[in-house]
């Protein structure tokens, strides 16, 4: 087929990203701008990055056929869609493309509907190869889904799994701590991100961006008090995880939480991976001096930038007389006017305004920082071959690489997802 030579499906025409990891606000923005607002000329003229973005924008909102205003004239039935998806998993992507597109058995346009993609109107009348990128995205998304194990469906099944399992991975998020008054991050009205509009940030996640922290740590310190646990109390879910440990069933608790409440609940260090670090300790960004977070607790609760005591002592020893006081953000000027209001937030605190003493950064993993090596080592070299049950509790799984753990583990390992909200991933492949 000529079209295959123009845009081969087997070639990596687009690098797929996990659209489910995008914030709800991003999705709302995309829904406000209809996928059909993209022009065919933009798709043809843009570079690879432009193509990726535009096709992903088109794909967003087209993936749930139950919400389509009207069904395309030529689309796969539910039965056909199930058969195509099952065949894809059975033979693999290359053989599947050979059997369908290369043989002319079905058009790419129609095959898109088998993967829940509604062909956009802007491609109406275009050659079939114009649909290849969308089809490629659909196939990649399908293969990334974890197939539901059909034998587990009820509460009794869950109880049976808990009783029989000996090596349980528990993957937890902020939802297990909200009962203690610690906000989660992404709930629309009560989440931390929804409450940060007053900061004037283009994206509330910038609060946890390592570049912005180095540029102006007072932004993070202004909200740290809201996510810092005020006591060592823990929730019933923490107690449940501890119970699994006491019964010899807990393999590993991978927590995305930074409140360190797992430790307070008694989860052993060798059973706990704090994927995003925690408030347990803090480290100077200049000299690497590490302290327990209780030493900067008062600063955190006051929204005051904590400075490194060792840096201060070193500076005083080096210049015992005539120290010139100087406000500094670690030598990096603020680049955005909207952040300037934070620059003088600690002017009244003389002890935190000496020369260029380093800032103390709680040892939580910011966006732009690598996860601890223990995360990868534990998951890949230890847990993957031992796990017999996975519990996912209180997380929307929107932040990688933790969001990828569920799909990385063996497909035959049962997984139970517990959340207050409907979770769209992994989408279930079920017979109609």
């Amino acid at each position: 087929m000529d079209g295959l030579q123009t845009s081969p499906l087997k070639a990596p025409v687009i690098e797929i990203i996990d659209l489910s990891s995008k914030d709800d606000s991003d999705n709302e923005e995309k829904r406000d701008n209809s996928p059909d607002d993209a022009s065919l000329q933009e798709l043809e003229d843009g570079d690879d990055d432009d193509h990726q973005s535009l096709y992903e924008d088109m794909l967003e909102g087209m993936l749930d056929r139950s919400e389509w205003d009207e069904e395309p004239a030529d689309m796969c039935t539910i039965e056909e869609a199930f058969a195509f998806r099952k065949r894809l998993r059975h033979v693999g992507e290359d053989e599947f493309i050979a059997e369908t597109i290369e043989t002319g058995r079905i058009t790419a346009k129609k095959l898109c509907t088998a993967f829940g993609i509604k062909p956009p109107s802007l491609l109406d009348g275009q050659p079939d190869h114009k649909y290849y990128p969308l089809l490629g995205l659909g196939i990649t998304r399908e293969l990334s889904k974890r197939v539901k194990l059909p034998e587990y469906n009820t509460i009794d099944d869950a109880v049976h799994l808990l009783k029989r399992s000996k090596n349980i991975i528990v993957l937890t998020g902020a939802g297990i701590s909200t009962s203690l008054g610690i906000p989660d991050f992404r709930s629309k009205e009560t989440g931390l991100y929804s409450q940060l509009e007053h900061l004037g940030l283009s994206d509330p996640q910038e609060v946890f961006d390592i570049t912005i922290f180095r540029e102006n740590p007072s932004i993070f310190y202004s909200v740290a008090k809201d996510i810092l646990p005020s006591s060592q109390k823990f929730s019933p879910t923490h107690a449940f995880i501890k119970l699994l440990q006491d019964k010899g069933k807990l393999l590993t608790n991978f927590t995305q939480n930074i409140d360190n409440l797992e430790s307070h609940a008694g989860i052993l260090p060798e059973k706990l991976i704090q994927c995003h670090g925690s408030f347990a300790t803090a480290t100077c960004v200049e000299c690497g001096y590490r302290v327990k977070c209780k030493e900067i607790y008062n600063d955190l609760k006051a929204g005051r930038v904590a400075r490194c005591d060792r840096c201060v002592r070193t500076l005083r020893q080096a210049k015992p007389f005539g120290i010139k006081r100087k406000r500094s953000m670690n030598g990096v000027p603020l680049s955005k006017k909207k952040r300037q209001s934070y620059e003088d937030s600690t002017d009244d605190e003389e002890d935190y305004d000496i020369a260029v003493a380093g800032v103390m950064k709680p040892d939580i993993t910011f966006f732009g920082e690598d996860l601890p090596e223990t995360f990868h080592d534990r998951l890949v070299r230890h847990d993957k071959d031992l796990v017999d049950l996975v519990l996912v509790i209180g997380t929307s799984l929107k932040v990688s690489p933790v969001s990828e753990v569920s799909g990385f583990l063996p497909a035959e390992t049962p997984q139970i997802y517990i959340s207050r909200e409907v979770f769209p991933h992994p989408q279930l492949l079920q017979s109609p």
Side-chain angles (χ1 to χ4, degrees):
M1 296 173 64
D2 293 338
L4 286 173
Q5 296 176 354
T6 304
S7 179
L9 273 171
K10 294 179 182 178
V13 291
I14 288 182
E15 180 183 355
I16 181 69
I17 66 169
D18 184 5
L19 294 179
S20 68
S21 69
K22 291 189 179 297
D23 209 315
D24 286 338
S25 60
D26 294 337
N27 293 338
E28 287 295 331
E29 197 174 329
K30 285 188 177 8
R31 281 192 286 272
D32 291 340
N33 299 308
S34 170
D36 288 352
D37 288 344
S39 70
L40 184 62
Q41 193 64 40
E42 288 179 295
L43 292 174
E44 292 176 342
D45 293 346
D47 58 23
D48 289 343
D49 289 338
D50 292 335
H51 287 159
Q52 174 175 327
S53 177
L54 286 168
Y55 276 112
E56 286 164 356
D57 286 352
M58 291 166 61
L59 193 62
E60 188 69 26
M62 298 178 182
L63 292 171
D64 187 350
R65 61 192 291 164
S66 66
E67 296 181 0
W68 294 352
D69 294 333
E70 59 179 273
E71 295 184 348
D74 186 22
M75 68 177 294
C76 294
T77 65
I78 295 293
E79 292 77 14
E80 289 172 333
F82 176 75
F84 278 127
R85 294 181 181 194
K86 185 176 181 180
R87 185 62 179 169
L88 170 63
R89 292 179 177 276
H90 180 68
V91 301
E93 182 177 359
D94 288 352
E95 183 63 26
F96 178 76
I97 293 169
E99 292 179 358
T100 54
I101 301 300
E102 292 183 4
T103 62
R105 173 185 170 191
I106 187 173
T107 64
K109 178 180 180 180
K110 182 176 181 179
L111 192 54
C112 280
T113 66
F115 299 101
I117 301 174
K118 181 181 179 182
S121 60
L122 70 90
L123 292 181
D124 285 350
Q126 296 299 315
D128 197 51
H129 68 79
K130 295 289 185 180
Y131 294 88
Y132 289 176
L134 277 178
L135 179 58
L137 286 170
I139 288 175
T140 303
R141 288 175 64 94
E142 181 65 29
L143 291 174
S144 69
K145 297 174 187 175
R146 183 179 178 276
V147 180
K148 180 186 182 300
L149 300 179
E151 62 267 38
Y152 305 115
N153 302 285
T154 68
I155 296 295
D156 288 340
D157 292 334
V159 171
H160 172 69
L161 286 170
L162 286 169
K163 286 182 176 180
R164 82 171 191 191
S165 299
K166 302 297 183 182
N167 292 291
I168 302 175
I169 285 180
V170 183
L171 180 57
T172 53
I176 72 169
S177 297
T178 53
S179 63
L180 303 172
I182 301 173
D184 64 11
F185 292 90
R186 291 181 169 79
S187 291
K188 290 184 178 180
E189 296 182 0
T190 60
L192 179 68
Y193 290 154
S194 68
Q195 301 174 31
L196 299 182
E197 292 182 2
H198 67 281
L199 295 182
L201 302 173
S202 59
D203 182 344
Q205 293 183 115
E206 289 182 355
V207 168
F208 299 100
D209 186 286
I210 188 59
T211 300
I212 291 176
F213 180 87
R214 289 169 177 156
E215 189 174 274
N216 187 359
S218 58
I219 296 179
F220 166 78
Y221 270 90
S222 71
V223 301
K225 60 183 180 296
D226 297 324
I227 56 176
L228 185 70
S230 57
S231 70
Q232 295 186 2
K233 292 181 179 179
F234 49 87
S235 72
T237 305
H238 293 100
F240 167 71
I241 300 170
K242 173 63 161 53
L243 180 62
L244 292 178
Q245 176 181 276
D246 292 344
K247 290 184 173 293
K249 290 176 173 289
L250 181 64
L251 180 61
T252 306
N253 178 195
F254 289 92
T255 178
Q256 300 172 87
N257 298 338
I258 57 179
D259 50 34
N260 200 40
L261 295 182
E262 294 82 8
S263 296
H264 297 324
I267 307 302
L268 298 173
E270 59 266 29
K271 295 286 186 179
L272 179 64
I273 299 295
Q274 295 173 312
C275 306
H276 297 159
S278 79
F279 274 110
T281 57
T283 302
C284 174
V285 298
E286 293 292 336
C287 72
Y289 181 56
R290 176 171 291 183
V291 300
K292 291 185 177 180
C293 243
K294 64 181 181 181
E295 296 190 27
I296 64 169
Y297 181 83
N298 290 338
D299 296 309
L300 289 166
K301 293 303 290 184
R304 190 172 52 214
V305 177
R307 298 284 174 174
C308 174
D309 287 341
R310 187 167 76 174
C311 282
V312 171
R313 291 194 300 268
T314 300
L315 288 165
R316 283 173 173 163
Q317 291 170 0
K319 296 182 179 180
F321 302 104
I323 295 179
K324 181 178 180 181
R325 296 175 70 245
K326 176 183 178 183
R327 169 66 55 186
S328 171
M329 290 298 167
N330 296 327
V332 181
L334 295 176
S335 62
K336 295 185 179 180
K337 185 176 181 180
K338 63 187 176 186
R339 300 179 192 138
Q340 290 176 350
S341 61
Y342 297 92
E343 187 170 357
D344 297 322
S345 61
T346 59
D347 279 346
D348 295 334
E349 305 300 327
E350 304 238 344
D351 289 343
Y352 298 89
D353 197 25
I354 298 177
V356 287
V359 171
M360 298 302 294
K361 173 187 170 294
D363 290 329
I364 62 179
T365 305
F366 279 53
F367 292 111
E369 292 187 304
D370 292 332
L371 266 64
E373 291 184 2
T374 52
F375 168 76
H376 178 272
D377 290 345
R378 178 80 177 193
L379 181 65
V380 176
R381 300 179 182 178
H382 184 265
D383 289 3
K384 183 180 180 182
D385 295 330
L386 295 175
V387 61
D388 53 14
L389 178 64
V390 179
L391 303 180
V392 182
I393 311 176
T395 172
S396 60
L397 290 181
K398 290 185 176 181
V399 178
S400 63
V402 177
S403 61
E404 300 166 7
V405 170
S406 176
F408 173 77
L409 296 172
E412 66 273 13
T413 301
Q415 299 192 18
I416 300 174
Y417 182 82
I418 304 171
S419 177
R420 290 175 55 187
E421 299 181 358
V422 176
F423 183 51
H425 179 80
Q427 302 206 13
L428 306 182
L429 180 62
Q430 302 185 55
S431 176

